[in-house]
Amino acid sequence: MMPRMDGFEFCKAMKTDERTSHIPIIMLTAKANTESRIEGFEIGADDYLTKPFNTEEIQARVKNLLDKQEKLKQYYTNNNSEHTSNTSKTNSIEHAFLYRAKEVVEKHLSHNSFYVTQFSQEMNMSTSQLLRKFKALTNQTVVEFIRDYRLQRASSLLSQGKGNVSRKCLLK
C-alpha cells in the first residue's frame, strides 16, 4: 500500500490536475474485483492491471497508451483551431486547458512584450510545466503555440477582409 494516499486517490489527483492530466496512468493493484476496476476507470485511469502481472502484457499496454498519446498529440497539432467537445473526461480537461491558453494569448494579442513567463503565470504553471504540457498535447513549444495562434488570427482577419492585420491587432 502507498503511504498517505492510496492509488485511487493518487490517480484522481493526477487526472484532475490540469498540470498532470495528460500523463497516462496504469493502475497496478491487487484489487482484482470488478468494483475496484470500475472505480479505477471512473477516476481516470487509462488502464488497470491486477497482480500477479505479466511483463509482456504491461509492455504491450504501455505501448498502446503511448500510441494513443501520440494520436492525441497529432489531433491537437492538426486541429489547432477550435476543438469539438469529447466525451472523454481527460480530453475535456485538455480541451479546457487549450481553450484557456488561447484566451490568454487572445487577451495579449496586441502586446509584443508578451513572453512565456507572463503566459505561465496566467496559466498558473511554472514555465517548465507549461512547456511539458504543450509538448505532450501539441508537440509545440510555448513560443510556437503563441506564434501559431497569432498567425491563425492574422489569417482569419485577412480572410474576413478586416483590413490591415497589424492595425486590427493594435486596435484590439
Side-chain angles (χ1 to χ4, degrees):
M1 296 305 249
M2 294 173 47
R4 287 180 274 165
M5 70 171 69
D6 66 16
F8 292 101
E9 292 171 312
F10 176 75
C11 181
K12 185 176 183 179
M14 293 289 289
K15 289 299 188 172
T16 57
D17 189 327
E18 190 175 69
R19 297 168 297 175
T20 57
S21 61
H22 64 283
I23 300 171
I25 294 180
I26 298 175
M27 294 189 73
L28 180 60
T29 179
K31 295 181 176 181
N33 62 7
T34 304
E35 294 81 20
S36 295
R37 292 177 64 84
I38 291 170
E39 180 182 358
F41 287 122
E42 284 179 344
I43 60 173
D46 296 284
D47 213 334
Y48 193 99
L49 293 170
T50 57
K51 297 176 185 176
F53 59 90
N54 180 297
T55 306
E56 292 171 1
E57 181 182 8
I58 289 178
Q59 290 172 341
R61 289 181 186 234
V62 167
K63 182 187 176 308
N64 286 343
L65 284 174
L66 292 175
D67 289 346
K68 179 182 169 187
Q69 193 73 6
E70 187 60 34
K71 287 177 185 171
L72 185 65
K73 186 187 301 184
Q74 289 301 318
Y75 170 79
Y76 284 122
T77 301
N78 295 333
N79 298 299
N80 204 10
S81 55
E82 290 302 313
H83 300 287
T84 58
S85 63
N86 196 310
T87 56
S88 169
K89 185 178 186 180
T90 302
N91 286 346
S92 67
I93 291 171
E94 309 315 347
H95 286 299
F97 170 80
L98 288 172
Y99 182 79
R100 192 163 58 91
K102 289 175 184 181
E103 285 182 328
V104 170
V105 175
E106 183 73 30
K107 183 170 89 173
H108 297 281
L109 200 57
S110 62
H111 304 127
N112 291 333
S113 60
F114 180 62
Y115 297 112
V116 174
T117 51
Q118 185 180 0
F119 189 30
S120 65
Q121 289 171 350
E122 291 204 30
M123 294 297 291
N124 297 320
M125 293 182 173
S126 68
T127 54
S128 58
Q129 184 65 43
L130 189 64
L131 173 62
R132 283 191 295 271
K133 184 82 172 181
F134 273 108
K135 273 299 210 184
L137 290 179
T138 66
N139 202 31
Q140 292 181 307
T141 65
V142 179
V143 172
E144 290 169 335
F145 177 82
I146 294 169
R147 183 198 63 218
D148 286 356
Y149 184 82
R150 285 180 168 164
L151 287 171
Q152 286 175 3
R153 285 286 290 135
S155 174
S156 173
L157 287 171
L158 287 172
S159 67
Q160 294 173 8
K162 301 268 182 163
N164 186 314
V165 172
S166 61
R167 184 171 176 264
K168 288 295 179 187
C169 287
L170 292 173
L171 292 176
K172 191 155 178 41

